[in-house]
């Protein structure tokens, strides 16, 4: 099966990849929704990621800032799965890299920022809820370290948060539209480390398949699309992806 999938990639010109939390767990970033996920173990963590609680309650924000300070993502390094996607881009085959992740490990690994479509935003930037200003997250974390438990915007006094899509917050329509459009242009569509249960982005699979793309799913757990996919792999992402996409032997 690996050989077959590898041949599809060899023959492909426009590979579109969709990644979710599963690709970053080998880098030490926990999957929030999985059985060992933070939300399962700490219901307060779910409250912190809900925009309504976040805006309404300073205590939720204080905890959120402490959480951001101690996020494992700050010290995380890209793994072999991320590097396989860099290799795919170097082979001039990567059409788009759609990600549900907010850790920027794809860009840190070496994928071009213009190939990466971040449907849930990025934790490495902050945004102001009042005026919409954005900037590097570390600048705000420095203020937290210096003793401000809930820093506000220096321009407008508004509430600051990470530049990510919280629960209860709208996705950015242009970003989703671009992701779906790219999926429709794929000749191979690879879904990696996502349960494919969250719409609208799970619809990228249908769009790619309807447009005639070969479809590959790499995920530890089953997904609703396994029956429709041309190939399904449940092994370790950091082993399967290099085997399918890697440049070794080319
Ligand atoms: Zn502001």
């Amino acid at each position: 099966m690996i050989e077959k999938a590898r041949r599809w990639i060899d023959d492909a010109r426009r590979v579109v990849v969709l990644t979710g939390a599963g690709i970053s767990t080998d880098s030490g970033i926990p999957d929030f929704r999985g059985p060992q996920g933070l939300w399962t173990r700490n219901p307060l963590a779910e409250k912190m990621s809900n925009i309504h609680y976040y805006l309404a309650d300073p205590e939720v924000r204080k905890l959120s800032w402490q959480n951001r300070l101690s996020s494992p993502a700050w010290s995380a390094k890209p793994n072999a799965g991320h590097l396989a996607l860099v290799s795919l881009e170097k082979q001039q085959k990567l059409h788009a890299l759609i990600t549900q992740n907010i850790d920027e490990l794809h860009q840190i690994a070496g994928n071009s920022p213009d190939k990466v479509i971040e449907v849930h935003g990025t934790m490495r930037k902050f945004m102001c809820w009042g005026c919409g200003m954005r900037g590097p997250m570390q600048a705000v974390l420095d203020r937290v370290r210096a003793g401000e438990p809930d820093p506000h915007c220096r321009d407008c006094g508004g509430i600051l948060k990470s530049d990510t899509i919280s629960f209860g917050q709208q996705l950015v329509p242009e970003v989703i539209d671009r992701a779906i459009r790219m999926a429709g242009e794929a000749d191979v569509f690879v879904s990696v480390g996502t349960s494919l249960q969250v719409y609208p982005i799970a619809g990228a699979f249908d769009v790619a398949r309807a447009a005639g793309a070969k479809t590959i799913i790499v995920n530890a757990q089953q997904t609703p699309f396994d029956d429709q996919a041309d190939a399904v792999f449940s092994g370790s992402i950091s082993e399967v992806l290099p085997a399918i996409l890697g440049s070794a032997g080319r």
Side-chain angles (χ1 to χ4, degrees), residues 133-199:
M133 183 174 69
R134 288 172 165 79
M137 175 57 90
Q138 283 300 338
V140 182
L141 291 181
D142 284 344
R143 292 171 61 187
V144 179
R145 283 188 203 98
E148 285 183 72
D150 176 25
H152 280 54
C153 178
R154 281 183 167 147
D155 280 3
C156 78
I159 290 172
L160 300 181
K161 68 183 289 289
S162 67
D163 190 12
T164 54
I165 308 288
S166 302
F167 277 81
Q169 212 179 330
Q170 297 299 313
L171 297 161
V172 182
E174 304 84 65
V175 175
I176 302 299
D177 288 351
R178 182 177 165 219
I180 299 292
R181 193 175 64 242
M182 297 304 248
E185 295 169 359
D187 43 27
V188 177
F189 182 87
V190 190
S191 172
V192 183
T194 165
S195 60
L196 286 173
Q197 282 172 9
V198 182
Y199 278 85

Side-chain angles (χ1 to χ4, degrees), residues 126-137:
F126 75 86
M127 67 93 61
C128 170
W129 194 255
C131 68
M133 183 174 69
R134 288 172 165 79
M137 175 57 90

Side-chain angles (χ1 to χ4, degrees), residues 4 7 52-53 55 84 94 97 103 117 121 126 134 139 206:
K4 201 160 70 175
R7 263 198 312 278
H52 303 295
Y53 289 110
L55 294 176
L94 182 65
L97 175 44
D103 53 38
I117 304 175
F126 75 86
R134 288 172 165 79
D206 280 325

Side-chain angles (χ1 to χ4, degrees), residues 80-145:
H82 295 103
L83 296 175
L85 295 171
V86 176
S87 156
L88 188 68
E89 183 174 342
K90 284 185 179 149
Q91 298 166 56
Q92 316 276 336
K93 290 177 185 288
L94 182 65
H95 192 50
L97 175 44
I98 307 164
T99 186
Q100 297 171 305
N101 298 339
I102 57 171
D103 53 38
E104 289 194 28
L105 286 183
H106 290 307
Q107 295 94 319
I108 293 168
N111 280 117
S112 324
D114 62 326
K115 292 281 184 195
V116 182
I117 304 175
E118 294 172 312
V119 295
H120 291 160
T122 169
M123 60 170 287
R124 292 177 195 266
K125 289 201 192 90
F126 75 86
M127 67 93 61
C128 170
W129 194 255
C131 68
M133 183 174 69
R134 288 172 165 79
M137 175 57 90
Q138 283 300 338
V140 182
L141 291 181
D142 284 344
R143 292 171 61 187
V144 179
R145 283 188 203 98

Side-chain angles (χ1 to χ4, degrees), residues 26-98:
D26 279 352
S27 293
I29 300 176
D31 180 355
F32 283 72
R33 292 163 193 271
Q36 300 302 317
L38 291 183
W39 289 350
T40 320
R41 289 185 284 126
N42 179 5
L44 192 59
E46 186 159 6
K47 232 179 178 180
M48 283 188 282
S49 57
N50 183 300
I51 190 67
H52 303 295
Y53 289 110
Y54 187 87
L55 294 176
D57 189 346
E59 293 305 316
V60 170
R61 292 198 296 276
K62 286 178 195 171
L63 277 170
S64 299
W65 286 111
Q66 288 306 315
N67 252 24
R68 287 175 189 135
L69 268 185
S70 61
S71 168
W74 299 118
S75 55
K77 304 261 190 301
N79 62 58
H82 295 103
L83 296 175
L85 295 171
V86 176
S87 156
L88 188 68
E89 183 174 342
K90 284 185 179 149
Q91 298 166 56
Q92 316 276 336
K93 290 177 185 288
L94 182 65
H95 192 50
L97 175 44
I98 307 164

